[in-house]
Amino acid sequence: MASSFMGLYVQREALVASQKALDITGNNLANVKTEGYTRQRVDVASVANATGTLGYNTSIELAGQGVEPVGVTQIRDALLDKKYRNYTSDLSDVTTKSEVLSDLEDAIDDIEADDSGFAAILGKFKTALQNYSTNNADDNNVGGTVISAAKSVVQVLNSFSERIDTISDQSKVEVDTSVSRINAIFNQMGSLNEQITDSYVQMGYISSTAGGYKVDNNYGPLELKDKMNSLIDELSKYGDINVKEETNGSYTVNFAGQVAVFGKDYAQIATNADNSQPTQLGFSISKAGTYDRSEEQHV
């Protein structure tokens, strides 16, 4: 038969669970402007009736023992994460190409100018050459006009070439900066993976399996997972990525079709500007840690 104080005990546990929910609500409000923070909630469940050697008892006398907090989880949608990262990757690709094309447009924006543009200068050269070849082949003055017009064409072309070289050099600097940041992200992800897997074990959110253990990834080190997701979101700005959460809680990250982060191991990439295809920039993902994923890719 249930104790006469069972009702008080049930109410006490309900207050404890409610207080925990209020604490998490306060934490959510405190972090409303924290970059990368994911809103949290308390999961609760009714208390199971355990008794004697049965381990679980459904007798009416012991029913209604109240509620208990199961754990704190994140309110996050994996499908929305994937869609957001795919969209970010596509948008970044289009934006980068648009910026480069805009710079090129600015570099040759006077090509159609009325009198000083390349089209006008090339037209003058064509007219001078036709005049020289048809009517005045022996006239030195006409020949000089042709040479002068040809020099003007060459000067404009050289000017365009210098401007384009400047854009190319700027683009290479931006690429080197991006590669440096990508490598730093890979490094941080490897370190975070190690922290996350250790934290799951320390917090006890694991269960045994035939091959070892698996984690309950609904709970665990939420703040570390926030940091990892922030890095994944940032990485999606640089290229196509695919993310898998492993049974031990770590994240395997594919970048441009290659494994870039696996457990505590992480890759490093290097650019290859000497590419046979001028519209592409080659890069290689080198060996990192205990696995080899070396293969040249193009972007």
Side-chain angles (χ1 to χ4, degrees), residues 16 35 49 78 91 215 234 287:
V16 170
E35 184 177 355
N49 299 324
L91 178 62
V215 303
E234 182 182 355
K287 180 178 180 181

Side-chain angles (χ1 to χ4, degrees), residues 36-87:
Y37 178 78
T38 302
R39 189 158 57 98
Q40 302 175 356
R41 71 159 187 254
V42 178
D43 286 346
V44 296
S46 60
V47 177
N49 299 324
T51 183
T53 59
L54 294 177
Y56 185 80
N57 188 292
T58 58
S59 65
I60 298 300
E61 290 82 357
L62 293 178
Q65 295 189 57
V67 67
E68 63 178 351
V70 176
V72 179
T73 188
Q74 295 176 320
I75 304 176
R76 196 173 186 103
D77 191 311
L79 179 59
L80 288 179
D81 281 343
K82 182 176 178 62
K83 287 185 175 181
Y84 167 78
R85 290 160 185 166
N86 289 342
Y87 173 79

Side-chain angles (χ1 to χ4, degrees), residues 58-254:
T58 58
S59 65
I60 298 300
E61 290 82 357
L62 293 178
Q65 295 189 57
V67 67
E68 63 178 351
V70 176
V72 179
T73 188
Q74 295 176 320
I75 304 176
R76 196 173 186 103
D77 191 311
L79 179 59
L80 288 179
D81 281 343
K82 182 176 178 62
K83 287 185 175 181
Y84 167 78
R85 290 160 185 166
N86 289 342
Y87 173 79
T88 300
S89 177
D90 292 341
L91 178 62
S92 297
D93 180 57
V94 171
T95 300
T96 301
K97 291 177 179 177
S98 175
E99 290 174 351
V100 172
L101 290 174
S102 178
D103 290 340
L104 288 173
E105 183 180 22
D106 292 340
I108 57 176
D109 62 351
D110 57 352
I111 195 170
E112 295 291 345
D114 292 340
D115 296 322
S116 59
F118 179 69
I121 293 173
L122 187 62
K124 293 177 182 178
F125 172 66
K126 181 180 178 181
T127 299
L129 190 62
Q130 288 176 338
N131 185 39
Y132 175 77
S133 63
T134 57
N135 302 318
N136 304 286
D138 297 328
D139 191 330
N140 290 333
N141 291 330
V142 175
T145 301
V146 173
I147 294 173
S148 177
K151 288 181 178 179
S152 296
V153 171
V154 172
Q155 287 175 353
V156 173
L157 291 175
N158 285 336
S159 176
F160 287 160
S161 178
E162 290 174 359
R163 296 176 192 177
I164 293 173
D165 285 343
T166 298
I167 294 172
S168 177
D169 291 340
Q170 291 175 345
S171 298
K172 290 177 182 177
V173 171
E174 292 173 358
V175 168
D176 288 340
T177 300
S178 296
V179 166
S180 178
R181 180 53 189 159
I182 291 170
N183 285 335
I185 291 174
F186 290 164
N187 187 321
Q188 293 176 57
M189 285 179 169
S191 177
L192 271 175
N193 267 341
E194 189 171 16
Q195 296 178 55
I196 288 171
T197 53
D198 288 346
S199 295
Y200 270 114
V201 175
Q202 293 171 6
M203 299 173 74
Y205 286 113
I206 60 175
S207 58
S208 299
T209 64
Y213 73 91
K214 66 177 181 178
V215 303
D216 185 349
N217 53 22
N218 289 319
Y219 307 113
L222 304 186
E223 285 70 28
L224 293 179
K225 293 169 73 173
D226 276 344
K227 291 181 180 179
M228 179 63 80
N229 279 301
S230 292
L231 290 174
I232 293 171
D233 289 343
E234 182 182 355
L235 184 63
S236 69
K237 298 176 182 178
Y238 296 102
D240 181 41
I241 65 171
N242 186 274
V243 181
K244 178 184 177 183
E245 195 168 355
E246 304 291 350
T247 56
N248 67 351
S250 67
Y251 291 74
T252 296
V253 181
N254 282 42

